[in-house]
Amino acid sequence: MSENIEKVECLIIGSGPAGFTAAIYAARADLKPVMYEGLQPGGQLTTTTEIDNFPGYPKGTDGTAMMEDLKKQALRFDTDVRFGMITDIDLSQRPFKTKADDGKVIMAETVIIATGATAKYMGIESEQTYNGYGVSACATCDGFFYKGLDVAVVGGGDTAAEEATYLAKMCRKVYLIHRRDELRASKAMQHKVLNTKNLEVIWDHTTKEITGETEGFSKKVTGATLVNVKTGKEKEIKVDGFFVAIGHKPNTELFKDYLNLDENGYIVTKPDSTSTSVEGVFACGDVQDHIFRQAITAAGTGCMAAIEAERFLSH
Ligand code: NDP
């Protein structure tokens, strides 16, 4: 049994921009971090194609390439990156006891949680077929590619309202498709939506199918078939981009019994810090940020988490 117990200074859970940035900083501070990459190595960015807004890539890059670069950088400083999942954790006392799916029991002096959030999707097949090729869950990331074109946004909350108004500034026409006849978004956002000229709300409709064309490896969205929930009548719209904005789910299931979470399940961190409600446990990236959700902000908080872990250990 003892050969399976490992003591580490810093365990990083998750491998998006937050996790890898934490790894780079922790490794350079000689914390010898061990990282478990999780279910989706590289995180949400690996589901997007081009990334044009991460500083340092003047010609842009693609999500998977960027995450490979971040991984190489973390490996250069000897981060122990492991393909696998942490399946169990006890944050009630230090060192924190965790179990991984490779059978290892890890006793960690500090834990950096960078498990991210998962965008919710409607669950129709075509959504996955065109994901990254016209279907996106992030207007700030991908809106630019639809400059002057027509797009649709699904959802009726603040995210959908924000994404639709953001897209309306650069797109020719934006359809906001909502399954009810009133928005869930705040009054201020509703006002913005209803007063944006090139934004049309399609009330009481769900999406039956996203339509598109596939040619070899190239795919593109061309429209969507919508269904009126009251009459059952179908309606076609022509769009070049389709944005799903029906919410995100933070990946906090493993930690919910130990850490303070907000009403939507995000880990609560102290102001100007990545400290959680348990000393020695830090959270960075989308698992604690439902507002910005950008690779660069995730990387920023990953850096903070590693510096805070290092300071915590040296006290
Ligand atoms: P919400 O859960 O608030 O809204 C989700 C929306 O998507 C709802 O309108 C819901 O419809 C719709 N929806 C859910 N599932 C489906 C589905 N399968 N098909 C079609 N539509 C669906 O999520 P948000 O991401 O908008 O917001 C999350 C939280 O973050 C909220 O508290 C929000 O206020 C906050 N936020 C704040 C911002 C700000 O302050 N600037 C910006 C963004 C978010 P229905 O209404 O019928 O349930």
Side-chain angles (χ1 to χ4, degrees), residues 12 17-27 33 112 284 299 302-303 305-306:
I12 300 171
F20 275 124
T21 306
I24 293 162
Y25 274 77
I112 294 179
C284 50
C303 158

Side-chain angles (χ1 to χ4, degrees), residues 14-17 20 37-38 40-47 63-64 67-68 71:
S15 60
F20 275 124
E37 289 186 294
Q40 188 179 40
Q44 289 183 80
L45 281 190
T46 59
T47 67
T64 307
M67 292 320 301
E68 277 167 9
K71 183 170 177 175

